[in-house]
């Protein structure tokens, strides 16, 4: 059973809060038959066009809304419907409102031909301008969403979710059969498959999407929540009784008495907390999935979240998803660049978590552009117009780690490390065996303490003595440190951050003058 536009507003918005923005549709040239189709469609759907627009409250937050009405000529988009959408998007931009759009459509209105077809350009342009102004654009795809609607404003969301079981695609199955004389493969154009393929972020019924949209809009607003700061955790660490400054100092001193090889071994312990453990101690988390372009990598995690009230985009390596030769590939780096784009577009800080055994070594990774994606990540980060923090949480091997490193502030766990290759690989190159791995680890200066001395790392978050032995306390300690750094970075002018970041990496490795 399809959800009508009015039913969607009733489930999505606070009761009684919807206010229509719609004016009578613009007049378009129409044959007598088409005019009759429009008259019947209005009677069937109870609406004057295939789109309704307006504003309302979503858990108390004012939002603009756009929804297709499938009962009106299959939700098809002609000139009048497109004009209504564009006017609503422009009004949302002028008012500075986040926009929630919910398409359900067969696509272009065939009765109006090519002039209807090209309306998707002006809709996409209006959405692009809304996003460029720094306002959130959330999409909820309903059953069905096809053709030019999916290929324009249905695919431009900062985050995109879909109704369970929804038919979503570019080419309609009926058209495919008419053109090629056979059925389109089953299960391809289904919301769940698109989620698993990395095209959309998730599949949710409307009431759950309402909760997710509320969380997302809270984070995407960029406004800190002082109530969630939990100052007690920033001031005192369970079991240490030390101040944050003393904690960092203790961490550096502790690492000085542990060898680099010991840190490598400790970082590989199965029970060591990873990015998912950190995210258990944040609030308003909204998981994201895939590149939005048909790729997904299960060795990484990215999300919207608040660290002690500080909103940000989070992206990082998932140690639990890396097994054997299954490590991060080009898709993971393209997902990283999606996170960077969201953070920059919405003026949100970006938190990057490094915890990788290295990038994938495979024919597929080479052919799909692993090395160029590493290069693009580094270049994007160095020039990104938003505050950035990088966390060296555990293993930091090779280009997969370097791709997430260049940030305004770099934190490291006591036993985090960074190296061009794992010590065994470096030993194999230099000595043609792996027996010299401990010696190479020490000589290359890969420990957190060495990185701090060399200016690669700014702060060490301690382990007492090993994060695997205190996973909850360590995770909360790291989250508190990240929140403190976010607070400091947000207080600095963006021009100052850009200049400092440029100077930092320009001078890296050179003697102090």
């Amino acid at each position: 059973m399809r959800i009508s536009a009015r039913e969607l507003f009733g489930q999505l918005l606070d009761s009684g809060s919807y206010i229509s923005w719609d004016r009578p549709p613009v007049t378009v040239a129409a044959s007598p038959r088409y005019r009759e189709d429009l008259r019947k469609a209005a009677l069937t759907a109870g609406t004057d066009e295939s789109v309704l627009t307006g504003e309302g409250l979503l858990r108390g937050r004012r939002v603009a809304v756009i929804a297709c009405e499938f009962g009106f000529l299959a939700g098809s988009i002609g000139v009048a419907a497109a004009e209504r959408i564009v006017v609503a998007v422009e009004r949302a931009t002028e008012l500075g409102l986040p926009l929630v759009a919910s398409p359900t459509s067969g696509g272009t209105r065939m009765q109006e031909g090519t002039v209807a077809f090209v309306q998707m350009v002006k809709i996409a342009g209006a959405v692009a301008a809304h996003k460029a102004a720094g306002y959130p654009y959330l999409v909820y795809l309903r059953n069905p969403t096809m053709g030019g609607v999916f290929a324009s404003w249905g695919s431009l969301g900062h985050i995109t979710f879909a109704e369970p079981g929804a038919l979503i695609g570019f080419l309609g199955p009926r058209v495919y059969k008419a053109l090629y004389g056979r059925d389109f493969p089953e299960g391809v154009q289904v919301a769940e498959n698109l989620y698993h393929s990395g095209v959309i972020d998730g599949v949710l019924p409307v009431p759950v999407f309402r909760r997710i949209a509320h969380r997302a809009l809270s984070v995407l607003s960029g406004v800190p929540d002082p109530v969630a700061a939990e100052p007690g955790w920033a001031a005192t660490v369970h079991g240490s009784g030390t101040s944050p400054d003393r904690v960092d100092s203790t961490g550096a001193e502790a690492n000085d008495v542990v060898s680099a090889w010991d840190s490598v071994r400790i970082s590989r312990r199965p029970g060591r907390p990873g990015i998912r453990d950190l995210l258990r101690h944040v609030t308003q988390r909204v998981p994201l999935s895939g590149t939005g372009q048909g790729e997904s990598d299960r060795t990484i995690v990215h999300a919207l979240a608040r660290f002690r009230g500080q909103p940000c985009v989070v992206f990082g390596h998932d140690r639990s998803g890396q097994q054997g030769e299954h490590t991060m590939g080009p898709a993971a780096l393209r997902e990283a660049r999606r996170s960077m784009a969201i953070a920059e577009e919405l003026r949100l800080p970006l938190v990057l978590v490094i915890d990788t055994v290295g990038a994938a070594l495979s024919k597929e990774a080479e052919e799909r552009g692993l090395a160029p994606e590493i290069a693009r990540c580094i270049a994007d980060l160095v020039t990104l117009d938003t505050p950035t923090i990088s966390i060296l949480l555990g293993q930091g091997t090779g280009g997969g780690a370097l791709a997430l490193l260049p940030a305004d502030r770099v934190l490291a766990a006591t036993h985090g490390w960074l190296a061009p290759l794992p010590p065994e690989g470096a030993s194999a190159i230099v000595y043609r065996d792996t027996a010299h791995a401990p010696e190479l680890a020490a000589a290359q200066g890969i420990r957190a303490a060495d990185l701090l001395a060399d200016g690669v790392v700014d702060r060490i978050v301690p382990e007492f003595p090993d994060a695997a032995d205190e996973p909850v306390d360590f995770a909360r300690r790291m989250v508190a440190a990240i929140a403190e750094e976010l607070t400091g970075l947000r207080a600095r002018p963006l021009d100052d951050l850009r200049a400092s970041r440029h100077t930092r990496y320009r001078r890296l490795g050179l003697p102090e003058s």
Side-chain angles (χ1 to χ4, degrees):
M1 182 175 178
R2 292 193 177 97
I3 303 170
S4 72
R6 289 194 176 95
E7 288 171 336
L8 174 79
F9 292 155
Q11 294 182 47
L12 181 67
L13 301 174
D14 298 353
S15 179
S17 70
Y18 172 67
I19 300 171
S20 175
W21 285 355
D22 295 333
R23 295 180 179 179
V26 298
T27 302
V28 298
S31 66
R33 178 178 176 181
Y34 181 31
R35 280 197 296 270
E36 180 61 16
D37 288 342
L38 292 172
R39 187 188 70 79
K40 289 180 179 179
L43 289 174
T44 300
T47 64
D48 61 358
E49 247 302 340
S50 62
V51 176
L52 299 183
T53 71
E55 66 172 89
L57 300 178
L58 200 164
R59 292 197 167 189
R61 183 182 297 276
R62 189 182 177 196
V63 298
V65 288
I66 297 172
C68 285
E69 176 50 67
F70 195 82
F72 192 105
L73 295 180
S76 58
I77 303 298
V79 172
E83 184 64 17
R84 180 171 285 181
I85 293 169
V86 170
V87 168
V89 175
E90 290 174 343
R91 184 170 177 179
T93 307
E94 291 169 4
L95 295 172
L97 294 179
L99 178 57
V100 182
S102 183
T104 173
S105 173
T108 298
R109 189 166 298 172
M110 292 296 108
Q111 294 91 331
E112 295 182 28
T114 301
V115 70
F117 177 53
V118 298
Q119 296 301 303
M120 305 307 170
V121 177
K122 74 179 184 184
I123 298 173
V127 170
H130 180 81
K131 294 170 64 179
Y135 302 122
Y137 179 59
L138 279 56
V139 173
Y140 184 73
L141 304 170
R142 286 155 44 231
N143 181 43
T145 301
M146 304 298 294
V149 171
F150 183 46
S152 58
W153 55 291
S155 293
L156 294 175
H158 287 114
I159 65 173
T160 304
F161 290 85
E163 179 185 0
L167 178 69
I168 300 169
F170 179 61
L171 179 64
R174 186 169 58 183
V175 175
Y176 181 89
K177 186 170 185 177
L179 291 175
Y180 302 111
R182 59 184 183 275
D183 291 333
F184 194 79
E186 288 188 17
V188 174
Q189 296 175 315
V190 179
E192 288 77 2
N193 182 56
L194 296 186
Y195 164 61
H196 290 299
S197 300
V199 177
I200 62 176
D201 290 302
V203 179
L204 306 168
V206 179
V208 180
F209 175 71
R210 168 178 157 87
R211 295 200 298 270
I212 292 295
H214 168 68
R215 286 188 209 165
L217 291 173
S218 172
V219 175
L220 297 177
S221 73
V223 179
D225 179 6
V227 176
E230 294 188 49
W233 262 100
T236 305
V237 177
H238 178 69
S240 70
T242 56
S243 69
D245 290 339
R246 178 58 182 158
V247 163
D248 287 357
S249 173
T250 302
E253 292 165 6
N255 205 14
D256 267 335
V257 298
V258 175
S259 72
W261 181 241
D262 282 340
S263 279
V264 170
R265 294 170 60 192
I266 289 169
S267 73
R268 293 171 175 173
R269 284 188 62 184
R272 186 174 180 82
I275 186 172
R276 292 183 184 276
D277 299 279
L278 299 188
L279 291 178
R280 291 190 182 99
H281 300 280
V282 304
T283 56
Q284 295 180 317
R285 177 166 58 98
V286 178
L288 304 179
S289 178
T291 61
Q293 300 171 11
E295 291 182 290
S296 182
D297 192 315
R298 301 305 175 187
T299 68
I300 56 88
V301 170
H302 59 148
L304 309 176
R306 285 184 182 273
F307 283 72
R308 304 293 188 260
Q310 292 291 336
C312 62
V313 180
V314 186
F315 179 91
H317 305 119
D318 180 13
R319 63 185 292 117
S320 65
Q322 302 175 64
Q323 297 178 356
E325 295 181 5
H326 181 61
T327 56
M328 67 176 297
L333 295 164
R334 286 189 269 273
E335 289 191 58
R337 294 178 66 215
R338 179 194 172 197
S339 288
M340 294 174 201
I342 292 174
E344 184 171 57
E345 200 160 60
L346 293 170
R347 286 75 159 169
L348 286 171
L350 176 65
V351 174
L352 301 155
V353 178
I354 298 170
D355 195 1
T356 180
V357 297
L361 304 175
S362 67
K363 174 180 179 291
E364 180 186 32
E366 296 290 346
E367 291 176 344
R368 290 171 58 210
L370 176 65
E373 283 302 329
I374 292 172
R376 294 184 188 107
C377 280
I378 295 170
D380 286 354
L381 276 178
V382 169
T383 58
L384 204 66
D385 281 337
T386 198
T388 53
I389 299 175
S390 185
I391 316 299
L392 188 54
L393 193 61
Q395 300 184 79
T397 299
L402 189 65
L404 306 188
L405 179 72
D408 296 310
R409 293 284 289 175
V410 180
L411 280 59
T414 299
H415 299 298
W417 55 275
L418 180 70
L421 283 175
E424 298 91 335
S427 177
I429 289 175
V430 176
Y431 294 103
R432 299 184 182 276
D433 62 38
T434 59
H436 292 79
E439 179 182 335
L440 263 294
Q444 289 186 320
I446 69 174
R447 296 180 308 167
D450 300 321
L451 299 171
L452 182 68
D454 289 337
V456 177
V457 162
D458 300 298
R459 175 176 179 179
I460 294 176
V461 178
E463 306 175 37
F464 295 118
D466 177 347
D469 295 323
E470 46 142 15
V472 173
D473 284 353
F474 171 77
R476 296 189 71 177
R477 192 181 308 127
M478 180 62 82
V479 166
I482 294 169
E484 184 180 328
E485 296 291 346
L486 287 171
T487 302
L489 288 175
R490 287 171 60 92
R492 295 176 60 186
L494 187 56
D495 288 344
D496 179 41
L497 285 178
R498 280 196 301 258
S500 296
R501 193 189 308 153
H502 171 79
T503 301
R504 171 193 185 127
Y505 291 103
R506 174 65 180 85
R507 297 292 305 169
L508 198 62
L510 298 178
E512 293 185 11
S513 55

